[in-house]
Amino acid sequence: IGDVRFAAGEWIGIEMLEAKGMHDGNVLGVSYFKCSSGKGIFAQLSHLQTTGTRDSAAVEETLRQVEASVSAGVAAGVASSLQVGQRVMWKGRHAGMVRFVGPVEFATGVFVGVELEDPVGYYDGTFMGQTYFKCEPGKGIFAHGSMLNDMARI
């Protein structure tokens, strides 16, 4: 429990019972705790609950994207150049509309919330209990701007 280099605030390092985590306690070259590979995650106290959580795979995917973006040194400027209402492509093949641009509670930096045209996303605009935008369940994603392409430029 404590500060980490990859996000602001106090974070809790957790060893999952099954290999559904993201790391072994080492994140971006810093060792925070030790556990088996693929069993480590980080969460803030406000995002934890003591009984079963739903959509854990979606949470893991988003946190993996956050970790990958931070490790690649993604600048907030890319995300801030996108605007709500702008059409974008996610992963080069999924079209959607920007519904949110700004800071989030689950990581540092500027993130983009996108409502996808097809139900290939993970969320309804709410992530870890915080609502950033609203869309149909399974059509929302959160990403750094570097993971999105402006459809006007394609």
Side-chain angles (χ1 to χ4, degrees):
I1 299 175
D3 293 334
V4 294
R5 290 188 186 170
F6 59 86
E10 185 174 79
W11 290 81
I12 301 168
I14 301 167
E15 181 177 3
M16 304 289 286
L17 297 175
E18 297 177 23
K20 294 184 177 183
M22 298 181 297
H23 52 73
D24 62 0
N26 292 290
V27 178
L28 306 175
V30 178
S31 180
Y32 294 99
F33 64 96
K34 293 188 185 307
C35 68
S36 299
S37 180
K39 288 190 173 184
I41 64 166
F42 279 95
Q44 290 186 304
L45 183 60
S46 63
H47 299 139
L48 298 176
Q49 58 188 62
T50 56
T51 57
T53 59
R54 56 186 183 92
D55 302 324
S56 61
V59 170
E60 291 166 16
E61 174 66 18
T62 297
L63 293 175
R64 260 194 286 282
Q65 291 175 10
V66 168
E67 199 168 291
S69 296
V70 171
S71 66
V74 176
V78 176
S80 63
S81 68
L82 297 171
Q83 298 177 358
V84 172
Q86 188 172 351
R87 292 191 38 78
V88 294
M89 288 289 272
W90 176 57
K91 292 186 174 180
R93 63 183 183 271
H94 302 294
M97 182 81 63
V98 174
R99 298 293 185 204
F100 169 84
V101 178
V104 292
E105 287 187 18
F106 58 88
T108 58
V110 176
F111 276 76
V112 181
V114 178
E115 179 180 5
L116 300 170
E117 291 178 358
D118 298 314
V120 294
Y122 306 110
Y123 311 105
D124 62 1
T126 298
F127 183 69
M128 298 182 104
Q130 177 69 37
T131 300
Y132 297 95
F133 65 98
K134 293 186 185 289
C135 70
E136 291 180 41
K139 287 192 171 187
I141 59 111
F142 292 94
H144 269 289
S146 64
M147 302 171 91
L148 304 168
N149 298 97
D150 180 353
M151 288 186 64
R153 295 183 186 164
I154 297 176

